[in-house]
Amino acid sequence: MVVKSERSDLPSAVFGLAFWLGLTFAAAAVGAYASVNAKAFYEGLLRPEWAPPAWLFGPVWSALYFMMGLAAFLAWRERGRRRVNAALCLYAGQLVLNSLWTWLFFAWRSGFAAFAGICALWALVLLTLVFFWKARALAGMLLAPYLVWVTFALFLSLATWQMNPSAL
């Protein structure tokens, strides 16, 4: 019987963590590129009273992206288990939708498409959370704040679109 030592697994773990964090923050950068000039647009929109200030989005998303990347890494470490590949495919899909939403809302200013996109994103995040949870509970738990934030963002997106039909 061969026992794998933790030390021999360290390079793989470091690579895996760097890969999943890098992929996650690359998706964040693609989305952020669409919102480079969004501050004036966002501040010019009518928003519900419960909308957070624009400066809050950066720190919240940074923390969420870190937790998302860590969750993906933890799920990836369980790659010998069933459905982990499906979970990671779901994760990649939600990253694409996450980045796309910023383009839909801020760059292309399409309220309907942004709302449809965030609804699809919400569903994929929920599925990813469930699959990650089955692979490793901590990975699922790390996605819970993300699901809460996307839920909030879904309602904010809808309210903002409804309040600004000519701008979105």
Side-chain angles (χ1 to χ4, degrees):
M1 177 165 107
V2 176
V3 177
K4 196 161 123 180
S5 76
E6 290 294 321
R7 179 170 274 176
S8 67
D9 194 39
L10 186 60
S12 173
V14 170
F15 170 78
L17 180 60
F19 173 81
W20 289 106
L21 286 173
L23 180 67
T24 303
F25 279 100
V30 169
Y33 186 76
S35 64
V36 168
N37 298 317
K39 184 178 180 187
F41 172 68
Y42 182 74
E43 289 177 353
L45 293 173
L46 296 173
R47 296 181 307 267
E49 291 179 10
W50 45 270
W55 64 264
L56 185 62
F57 289 94
V60 168
W61 275 113
S62 295
L64 290 173
Y65 282 125
F66 178 77
M67 290 188 295
M68 291 162 58
L70 185 55
F73 165 71
L74 292 173
W76 172 79
R77 296 278 292 174
E78 303 296 325
R79 59 192 176 272
R81 298 183 66 177
R82 279 183 49 180
R83 298 186 185 177
V84 170
N85 286 342
L88 294 172
C89 287
L90 288 169
Y91 181 77
Q94 68 79 31
L95 282 179
V96 169
L97 283 178
N98 185 313
S99 296
L100 180 61
W101 182 89
T102 310
W103 286 89
L104 293 170
F105 190 88
F106 290 110
W108 301 325
R109 300 181 181 179
S110 175
F112 173 76
F115 182 68
I118 202 166
C119 288
L121 173 62
W122 185 91
L124 272 182
V125 172
L126 178 62
L127 282 172
T128 305
L129 186 154
V130 169
F131 275 64
F132 275 20
W133 192 289
K134 289 179 181 180
R136 184 162 179 185
L138 180 57
M141 284 186 247
L142 284 167
L143 288 186
Y146 177 40
L147 182 62
V148 169
W149 184 258
V150 170
T151 302
F152 173 76
L154 186 150
F155 288 106
L156 180 59
S157 179
L158 177 61
T160 305
W161 171 38
Q162 290 177 337
M163 295 173 79
N164 299 275
S166 61
L168 292 168

